[in-house]
Amino acid sequence: MRIRPICALAATAATAVALAACGGDDDTSNGDTTAAQETAPSSRTEQESGKTTPAGPKPKTIVVRGGEPVGDPPELEYDVGNLVYLSVHSDVADEVHVHGYDLSREVPAGGSVSLSFTADIEGIFEIELERRGVEIGELRVNP
Amino acid sequence: MSFLPYAHALVSRQDLPIPAWLFAWGASIVLIVSFFALSVAWREPRFERQRWRPLQPWLSRLALGLPTQVVCGAIGVFLLGVAVYAGLRGTEAPDRNFALTFVFVTVWLGLPLFSILLGDVFRPFNPWRAVGRAVGGMFTALAGQRPVHLAYPEALGRWPAVIGLLGFVWLEVVYGASSGVAVGLSPHTTAIAALIYTVYTLAMMAVFGVEEWCDRGETFSVYFGMFGRLGAFGSEEGRLGVRRPLSAATGWATVPGSAAVVIASIGTTTFDGAQEGAFQGGIEQVWEWLLDIGFGNVAAQRISGTIFMLLCVAGIGLVYLIGVRGMASVTGAPSLEKLRWGFAHTLIPIAFAYLAAHYFSLFVFQEQAQFTYLLSDPLGTGTTDLFGTASGGIDYRVLSANAIWYVQVGVLVVGHVTGLTLAHDRATAYWGDYRQAARSQYWMLAVMVAFTCFGLYLLSVANA
């Protein structure tokens, strides 16, 4: 098997690209500066608990007005294994549904509801008002 | 109202974009492997002949005999019937209705997978072919002669299948786009579409003949048959045999419109991936412009989606044609038309790689649903439990993000290598001199590197 010079050159170039890219991989996740990273609790936290609010970290809030999210639906970013603590304020009554995790919570008109769960599934999940079929947020769980 | 990103109504979860470092690694591996492949290039074609060997006669009888054909055909008709019935009478929630997952995931994504490994497995299960053959058989029995058909126009080729393929994906991705306004493709619409397609297909079979229409015009036969050409099993003159994998693809694109089929496949998958990231800005701009003109929200979304889908298909076609034109410039090249037809099959592995990269995770998750609550409760009533599996559900933890990323990159690399293999093999057959053949392959190499790296790029910016 003869290795032609151009092949050797191309292979070297490609390897160089790979090494360069490898060296700069410190910005894989957490590129979204608006995401406040929650530290993972040492013990496995309870699953959905609307009542027990973890002390300390504030919930990320989504505001719904007239059945629509105010502004663009926010992207809420977490690392896998961390605690997700959300609060939805809505002036209309509906059911807040987190897809994938399949968590639902009723929000009263003019009131708010909070969800707290461990982000143990990686991916991108829609948060929507189930009855209206409106997306109010996006949950992103990074590995 | 803010423009919300498209989402399939079926999908509860979307993949994270592949990270930049994996994209770079994937692209580098693609380049390294490509140049390595060029340097170890073989000089005589290895895949032009199928080397078909018959299997044991009892196995052949079992697989191809009339009882098996009747049973498989009946299964196909039954499943189509269940899907249509579920679509018409079942819940309108897309994720709880058997019809949507069965048609758009189990069949549309599952059959290519089985086909590339095993051959044309759709053919015995094709419900329209089964009905057509049954009707034809009854006619022959009653009339005492075989039905007379119109000769299929040669130039029409596989173009009806191209239209069908574009229409199918358009229905799923553009018409059925969930935007916060529309719910997505409804089971009812799916059932109506299936019924319309059934009437159309049976009519065409009556006019041109069952096998002729299946070979050229019937969308699903052509589409799954295309992938089946890579598979290891094939039948000759009523006997089942095993053949060299990939070798049956070399004779696939002899029918007009074949290149368009594989290009439409890559183009529509590209569009579905690009609308979530790469082309999202462009689609938004066209949508806003259409709104300004006066179109309604939903109409504007559908028009902008249609425009971009067609642009994607045209773009993929253009890249392929540039590669063909480049090959034509190398000394000793055959005619432009012969090149265009002769290299179309080399894109089939890339078409499958695109499908697998974009839909692998959806397939794994939705098949969990297919065999649990969709199987036992196909109408989504909430109270039925036919097989005892209705309480099961989708466990999204079976696939980590890393596992999905490695599969996506891996399948694109393997598809790339397979495409290169077929292209190089065809070049050695067309060019007498192996050095000219190798020189001509720089063009196809560039085309395939472009497709594969573009596929990686789409994944790296999807949902970013």
Side-chain angles (χ1 to χ4, degrees):
Chain A
M1 177 185 82
R2 301 177 304 117
I3 311 267
R4 296 205 213 99
I6 188 172
C7 300
L9 190 65
T12 315
T15 316
V17 170
L19 289 174
C22 223
D25 71 336
D26 49 358
D27 61 338
T28 49
S29 58
N30 310 324
D32 184 8
T33 51
T34 64
Q37 294 305 313
E38 323 256 318
T39 51
S42 51
S43 58
R44 191 155 171 77
T45 55
E46 66 283 358
Q47 293 300 309
E48 352 167 1
S49 61
K51 297 183 305 219
T52 337
T53 53
K58 286 170 38 126
K60 298 192 186 174
T61 39
I62 303 172
V63 180
V64 175
R65 201 162 293 147
E68 301 270 336
V70 174
D72 282 330
E75 282 182 13
L76 307 169
E77 205 161 334
Y78 296 87
D79 284 343
V80 68
N82 285 357
L83 181 72
V84 177
Y85 185 27
L86 298 177
S87 173
V88 179
H89 301 279
S90 173
D91 62 344
V92 295
D94 208 314
E95 183 187 329
V96 175
H97 182 215
V98 180
H99 283 276
Y101 289 85
D102 208 20
L103 300 172
S104 293
R105 199 59 56 79
E106 288 285 341
V107 58
S112 69
V113 71
S114 68
L115 293 113
S116 171
F117 54 95
T118 309
D120 56 355
I121 313 174
E122 296 161 347
I124 300 172
F125 307 93
E126 189 176 313
I127 306 168
E128 75 171 344
L129 292 181
E130 190 71 6
R131 288 195 281 276
R132 281 179 175 73
V134 174
E135 179 180 349
I136 59 172
E138 185 181 272
L139 174 67
R140 300 175 74 104
V141 181
N142 295 315
Chain B
M1 148 206 165
S2 55
F3 186 89
L4 299 170
Y6 287 116
H8 305 273
L10 260 187
V11 174
S12 306
R13 177 201 164 280
Q14 288 184 297
D15 290 331
L16 292 159
I18 64 174
W21 63 265
L22 187 57
F23 171 30
W25 266 108
S28 310
I29 292 173
V30 163
L31 286 172
I32 294 172
V33 160
S34 304
F35 283 103
F36 179 77
L38 267 189
S39 67
V40 298
W42 53 94
R43 299 179 186 186
E44 296 293 323
R46 292 186 181 174
F47 293 96
E48 293 291 325
R49 283 175 29 239
Q50 290 190 30
R51 301 164 202 264
W52 180 88
R53 290 187 331 274
L55 290 172
Q56 300 293 322
W58 67 267
L59 199 56
S60 203
R61 271 196 305 274
L62 185 68
L64 300 180
L66 189 61
T68 312
Q69 289 186 43
V70 170
V71 168
C72 290
I75 291 173
V77 173
F78 174 71
L79 288 174
L80 177 65
V82 171
V84 169
Y85 184 77
L88 292 175
R89 292 299 180 87
T91 174
E92 279 300 281
D95 55 336
R96 306 300 299 197
N97 192 304
F98 177 88
L100 279 190
T101 299
F102 181 71
V103 170
F104 292 104
V105 181
T106 307
V107 169
W108 188 249
L109 301 176
L111 275 180
L113 173 64
F114 286 107
S115 300
I116 59 161
L117 298 172
L118 301 175
D120 195 354
V121 294
F122 177 64
R123 202 152 167 267
F125 293 97
N126 187 340
W128 305 287
R129 177 173 173 264
V131 170
R133 290 177 75 201
V135 170
M138 285 195 308
F139 179 96
T140 311
L142 290 173
Q145 64 170 40
R146 301 187 61 79
V148 177
H149 299 292
L150 282 181
Y152 192 92
E154 190 62 36
L156 189 60
R158 293 191 165 125
W159 287 102
V162 176
I163 307 290
L165 173 55
L166 291 175
F168 183 91
V169 181
W170 182 87
L171 190 70
E172 178 197 5
V173 177
V174 177
Y175 186 83
S178 164
S179 64
V181 176
V183 172
L185 188 62
S186 73
H188 189 85
T189 310
T190 307
I192 300 292
L195 287 173
I196 294 175
Y197 186 76
T198 300
V199 171
Y200 156 71
T201 302
L202 293 177
M204 290 296 116
M205 284 179 176
V207 170
F208 293 116
V210 173
E211 299 301 337
E212 287 80 4
W213 184 249
C214 283
D215 185 47
R216 286 149 197 261
E218 203 280 290
T219 307
F220 301 98
S221 302
V222 169
Y223 183 65
F224 299 133
M226 171 180 82
F227 291 117
R229 293 299 192 112
L230 300 178
F233 297 99
S235 66
E236 298 271 335
E237 291 155 14
R239 291 187 318 174
L240 185 67
V242 66
R243 61 197 179 195
R244 172 171 281 201
L246 311 183
S247 61
T250 56
W252 173 73
T254 50
V255 179
S258 301
V261 174
V262 67
I263 285 167
S265 173
I266 299 176
T268 51
T269 314
T270 299
F271 169 68
D272 199 11
Q275 67 165 349
E276 291 160 355
F279 296 159
Q280 198 174 354
I283 298 177
E284 259 181 64
Q285 280 189 335
V286 174
W287 173 76
E288 276 162 10
W289 174 71
L290 288 167
L291 280 183
D292 291 339
I293 294 183
F295 283 101
N297 200 2
V298 175
Q301 279 172 353
R302 287 182 180 157
I303 294 173
S304 58
T306 309
I307 291 172
F308 271 84
M309 187 179 94
L310 295 175
L311 280 177
C312 282
V313 174
I316 301 292
L318 188 66
V319 172
Y320 175 66
L321 289 177
I322 290 173
V324 166
R325 183 55 73 97
M327 278 194 287
S329 68
V330 174
T331 330
S335 74
L336 204 58
E337 188 180 78
K338 187 172 178 190
L339 284 173
R340 203 173 66 231
W341 288 20
F343 282 88
H345 69 283
T346 66
L347 298 182
I348 302 177
I350 295 187
F352 179 78
Y354 265 55
L355 269 187
H358 283 103
Y359 300 116
F360 163 68
S361 65
L362 172 70
F363 184 72
V364 169
F365 295 139
Q366 283 305 122
E367 288 312 295
Q368 293 182 49
Q370 176 73 81
F371 286 100
T372 55
Y373 58 84
L374 290 176
L375 185 68
S376 288
D377 187 11
L379 302 180
T381 60
T383 51
T384 327
D385 197 351
L386 297 171
F387 298 99
T389 62
S391 56
I394 304 177
D395 183 3
Y396 289 100
R397 283 170 294 228
V398 300
L399 284 180
S400 71
N402 277 301
I404 296 172
W405 288 336
Y406 287 131
V407 168
Q408 289 176 321
V409 173
V411 80
L412 279 171
V413 171
V414 172
H416 179 81
V417 171
T418 313
L420 274 187
T421 303
L422 284 173
H424 177 76
D425 204 69
R426 189 28 77 84
T428 58
Y430 277 6
W431 273 266
D433 181 70
Y434 74 90
R435 276 180 292 253
Q436 307 285 21
R439 201 163 297 152
S440 76
Q441 285 319 289
Y442 285 121
W443 285 94
M444 276 315 276
L445 176 76
V447 165
M448 292 196 178
V449 167
F451 282 151
T452 306
C453 289
F454 184 59
L456 288 170
Y457 167 71
L458 286 178
L459 293 173
S460 72
V461 297
N463 309 311

